[in-house]
Amino acid sequence: AEEVRDDQLQLLMEIPRVMEDEDCNIHSGIPTGSIQVPIFMRRLRKMLTTKSEQSFSKLQKALLFEAKKGRNVQYNDLFEEDEDGNQGDFCELLRAQHLEEIIAFDKKLVDSITDAANKEGVTALSISTLRDVLQQADPDKSRADINLYLARGANCTIQEVVEKET
């Protein structure tokens, strides 16, 4: 639960930074705090490559609402909290989608591990089989990241993971 919260916070801090970089690129190095909705969405798609079309459609609707039907959105304002600590519709939707995606990925991973164990007729899988399952579940994940996940799951060091695999 804490990792999910930290991951969400990191995402919510990264988006304004990316949008400010885009804003600077558009305006000769000077951020205006405002970016056109289509540009915002294009950059968001580049950041969130695993998000579905349906999720992007919902985000765009929330973004247009936040932009008050204008052409531009004040990207920093999207992530501001009101006096009660609440954030706007776009930010809350992004958080909710993020959590749903984590839960769905977790289920997919557990199902894949269970399927692999059933296929092999075992109750414990080898490190190399687990690596294959992780790579199939998330093909964009680097070997270093997968090593880290395997080490956490096996309660050992990354070096021990590498040694157990050979």
Side-chain angles (χ1 to χ4, degrees):
E2 189 173 324
E3 290 92 1
V4 171
R5 183 179 167 279
D6 290 345
D7 196 45
Q8 284 180 342
L9 289 175
Q10 182 179 349
L11 176 64
L12 296 178
M13 288 173 20
E14 183 181 357
I15 292 172
R17 279 196 304 262
V18 167
M19 296 308 162
E20 184 173 318
D21 288 347
E22 185 69 22
D23 189 9
C24 286
N25 288 339
I26 294 168
H27 298 103
S28 304
I30 301 168
T32 64
S34 177
I35 196 168
Q36 290 181 0
V37 170
I39 294 171
F40 185 99
M41 289 304 298
R42 193 167 36 252
R43 288 297 290 143
L44 198 62
R45 285 177 187 279
K46 287 181 183 177
M47 291 177 68
L48 307 174
T49 57
T50 60
K51 195 170 284 299
S52 72
E53 251 336 286
Q54 182 181 17
S55 293
F56 274 118
S57 178
K58 289 178 181 179
L59 284 171
Q60 184 164 345
K61 285 178 186 173
L63 187 63
L64 288 169
F65 177 78
E66 299 263 353
K68 300 180 181 37
K69 303 295 181 192
R71 291 183 45 198
N72 290 352
V73 63
Q74 304 293 319
Y75 51 85
N76 286 317
D77 292 351
L78 290 175
F79 303 95
E80 293 295 320
E81 294 180 353
D82 65 16
E83 59 275 354
D84 296 324
N86 298 315
Q87 293 176 307
D89 291 342
F90 175 83
C91 191
E92 293 299 332
L93 178 60
L94 190 63
R95 281 178 183 270
Q97 286 181 355
H98 188 72
L99 180 58
E100 289 169 8
E101 290 160 0
I102 288 172
I103 291 168
F105 181 75
D106 181 68
K107 182 181 179 342
K108 175 183 172 182
L109 196 53
V110 168
D111 290 349
S112 296
I113 290 169
T114 302
D115 290 347
N118 290 340
K119 183 178 177 183
E120 291 187 11
V122 297
T123 57
L125 294 171
S126 68
I127 294 290
S128 61
T129 301
L130 286 169
R131 177 183 302 286
D132 291 344
V133 168
L134 286 168
Q135 285 176 324
Q136 288 173 3
D138 192 352
D140 295 331
K141 196 59 73 183
S142 71
R143 184 171 179 84
D145 284 342
I146 290 176
N147 284 342
L148 179 62
Y149 297 150
L150 290 170
R152 285 181 188 163
N155 196 26
C156 63
T157 67
I158 291 173
Q159 183 60 37
E160 290 171 324
V161 164
V162 172
E163 290 170 3
K164 287 179 183 182
E165 193 170 17
T166 55

